[in-house]
Amino acid sequence: MRTARIIGSLLVLLALACTSQEEKIEKHHTAAFQYFEDEEWSEAKIEFLNLLQLTPDDAEAHYKMAETLWNLEEYGEALWQYNETARLAPDNTEWRMKVAKVEFTARRYDSAAEHIAAVLEQDPNNVEALLLRGAQKSVKGDFAGLMEDVDKALELDPESKSALSLKAQALSRSGDSTGAEEYMRRLLKVEPTMANHLSLARYLALLQRPEEALVEMRAAVDAAEDKEQKTNAQFFLANFHLNQRKSGEAEKVLLSAKADDPANPKILQALAKFYYTQGDKEKAVSMLEENVQQHPEDVEPVLVLAEYHRQIGAREEALETIQRALDLDPMSEQARLRRSEMLVVPNEDGTAEIPEEAWSVVRQVLEENPKSTMGLFNEGKFFLLESKYEEAATSLRRVIDEQPTANAHVLLGSAYMAMKQDDLARSEYLSALQLDAQNYPARSQLAVLYLRTGENELAARESKTGLTRNPNDMQLRLTYAEALIRLDRQHEARDVLKGVGDAGVDVSTTVKLHIARLLRRSRDRDGARKLLEGMLKADPTSEDVMREIIAVDVTSRDPEKALDRLDEWIIDQPDNPALYDLRGRVRLSTVSGMDMEKADAIEADLKMSLSKGSKRIEPLVSLAELYRSLGRVDDAVETYKRARDSFPEDASVRLQLAVLYESLLRTEEAKASYEEVLKLDESQPEAKNNLAWLLANAQSPTEKQLDRALQLAQDAKEALPGNPSVTDTLGWIMYKKGIPAAAISLFREAIEGYPEAHPLRGTVRYHLAKSYEDNGETGRAISELRRALDEVASFAERKDAEELLEKLEKS
């Protein structure tokens, strides 16, 4: 009986314990969910912690705990809770999608992809998942994949705002302006917001349709839902007027914005910047100082003043003002990041060593708040300064997605420029100027981009516009001079350069050397020589300066003077390898024919340069070229190989070696060298064209080889659209792939690119005849063969053309 009583007592205690446990769970569950509903996040966190200790497998509690932590900006812990939700409730697609979005925001793309794939496996028609997968593909540069997912999403939901927006972005990036505009207008019909009106306005402005853009900008101001939106729209409108050189209209818009929101520091900053560019510095500073005095405990006005000092180049004043802000609030994210930015001093070449103190601030801020746009901006800027362009672009695209600014567009444009994605870079710089017409880096970089793409008139126009507002910008001045020289407006270029290289002008040695080169190319050789001789007095061993002086002498058609200089310099500096290299190359440039005595002297100079320890590739390349001209092909090959092995990152020497191999019919070695070129420089069009030709002309090429050849040839054609040899290569591959109709138009285009009687014109006519034959147009094939044989006395395929003509005429 005693044992029965003990068991009975234990059962009662267990029942009471269970009841107590269930009551605790219910109590914490009710409290946690109520706090969550009321958005009392700190209290909700405490209750969810208590609840999850009792019910660690409660997926909904984990999900709401994650949401709570996210709202408390405890992102690292929130991320763990979201993933725990997905583990416990893998079939809940709504929660799984939220986890995917969070992972995507945290740039954990592989993990995000897993969650997206799981959602789509359960629900292949989930529009949200399709769009997130598309966005992820876009981040990795897969625009075709983005388009595929967006199109499917639009089939499922033709009015999906996210799908329409992504489609417009993808079409814009791919260069389809008509399609991009169509989808922007469709989005406006579905959602006529301020942001969507501005997006369309910006795009129309980029397309040089200012009247239509102005209509959309005014509509954006009217569509604004609050003061902040209206201010943003007014800024955009003011900058549009500034880009149209209507400063009076811009001032009216900015003053109207100030009247709407008198204490808004962003408006005051914009007005200060406007007045500064108009030459009224006192009005600019007094406005910002007044704002600081009106809000003595507020960090923001102080930072606005600091930013103003930074923009006008007053670095010490900017740092002092940032410290004033940190004294007010030591944990201010914006002040900390501004200081981290100011700690970085870029080198002359645009790179920089980022101090660990600056990086640690950025990392700490992004750990605290992964969505910090300013943190991401600094991260992108630092990556760019460290030449990590892909990483920089990823960070900056996230900034622009969250909060587009002119400076973010400029930096993203610079990342694209570094990656040689010129069309994307152009779009970013123009977008920056739409947001801030007074953004000098955007205008300066856009001018440089125009130079790079050969749009010299546009480069001159942008540089001139920038100089009217900032006459001391040396980058713009040099770019303007370069554009004028390319336009054969030498006199104007000399005027632009006048005085910039004088001793009293404070510019770096690198800039002075650049000025000297421009003076030489603008035919002011006396000015160039005077500047260079002054630089050589300051540094008698400067290799770059000596090279440029010799270039001035050579372009003055006075190579003997150049050789006399070099003889004198070699007496003074007998161990300077650069001087022997220079003398060898000057001698090489002066010979019209080649006798052995001259050849021996050139070879001796170049070998002496190498024996003295030259660190440059030029002596080796010049020596290889000398051997080629003398017919010493084995020596040429070995010298190119030596250059290749000594300078493994130089793509140009591998290209020259590949071309030499190809001329010697050493096809496999040529193909291998072209492949090496493309590993070092994947955009090299000549290597792509030549490799495509070799692949297509392999004995019995496979379909895979022809496909690779086609892609290479298409890339080369895009890079060199007017090159007839490249056009011929693409046509020949089309012919080889059994698409003679496409080949015919390409061969016709290539023929027009060669002058009459050019040997390659006969080759292309032969190719065209082969395509006509395959296309069943025998008469046209015969006509082309006859023209080839009549026009060109000798070309490589003449015998084949004669045999084909004979065959076709008999048939």
Side-chain angles (χ1 to χ4, degrees), residues 147-168:
M147 208 75 90
E148 182 182 346
D149 283 334
V150 171
D151 285 342
K152 186 173 180 182
L154 284 170
E155 285 178 20
L156 296 166
D157 182 2
E159 294 192 349
S160 166
K161 295 186 286 290
S162 298
L164 290 167
S165 178
L166 272 175
K167 178 79 171 183

Side-chain angles (χ1 to χ4, degrees), residues 365-382:
V365 166
L366 288 174
E367 186 177 338
E368 296 165 0
N369 178 11
K371 296 179 73 174
S372 167
T373 53
M374 190 172 176
L376 290 166
F377 177 86
N378 278 23
E379 182 183 58
K381 182 176 181 178
F382 289 178

Side-chain angles (χ1 to χ4, degrees), residues 447-520:
V448 171
L449 177 61
Y450 284 143
L451 272 184
R452 186 158 99 176
T453 55
E455 298 168 277
N456 301 317
E457 286 284 3
L458 290 173
R461 186 194 71 188
E462 288 298 333
S463 303
K464 185 176 181 180
T465 300
L467 285 171
T468 59
R469 297 175 182 170
N470 191 6
N472 296 321
D473 188 319
M474 185 62 69
Q475 173 70 59
L476 280 171
R477 187 169 295 278
L478 298 181
T479 302
Y480 189 25
E482 174 70 36
L484 292 170
I485 290 169
R486 292 188 186 184
L487 292 166
D488 203 24
R489 291 155 60 181
Q490 318 296 349
H491 180 73
E492 292 176 71
R494 290 194 290 273
D495 286 343
V496 169
L497 292 168
K498 194 174 292 181
V500 295
D502 293 347
V505 178
D506 185 19
V507 294
S508 68
T509 301
T510 302
V511 172
K512 282 187 178 180
L513 192 60
H514 190 172
I515 294 165
R517 291 190 181 114
L518 290 172
L519 287 169
R520 168 173 60 83

Side-chain angles (χ1 to χ4, degrees), residues 310 314-315 318-319 322 337-345:
R310 187 192 69 80
R315 185 173 181 273
L319 279 169
I322 290 170
L337 288 168
R338 285 283 166 80
R339 186 171 183 279
S340 77
E341 193 175 13
M342 292 297 297
L343 290 172
V344 179
V345 181

Side-chain angles (χ1 to χ4, degrees), residues 765-786 800-811:
R765 285 205 185 278
Y766 170 69
H767 292 165
L768 178 56
K770 295 277 287 180
S771 298
Y772 277 138
E773 179 193 15
D774 274 22
N775 208 42
E777 300 177 72
T778 305
R780 288 186 172 182
I782 291 171
S783 175
E784 288 301 327
L785 289 166
R786 286 175 178 166
D800 294 333
E802 289 170 347
E803 291 175 356
L804 180 58
L805 178 59
E806 183 180 354
K807 178 188 127 182
L808 293 177
E809 286 179 333
K810 287 179 180 179
S811 62

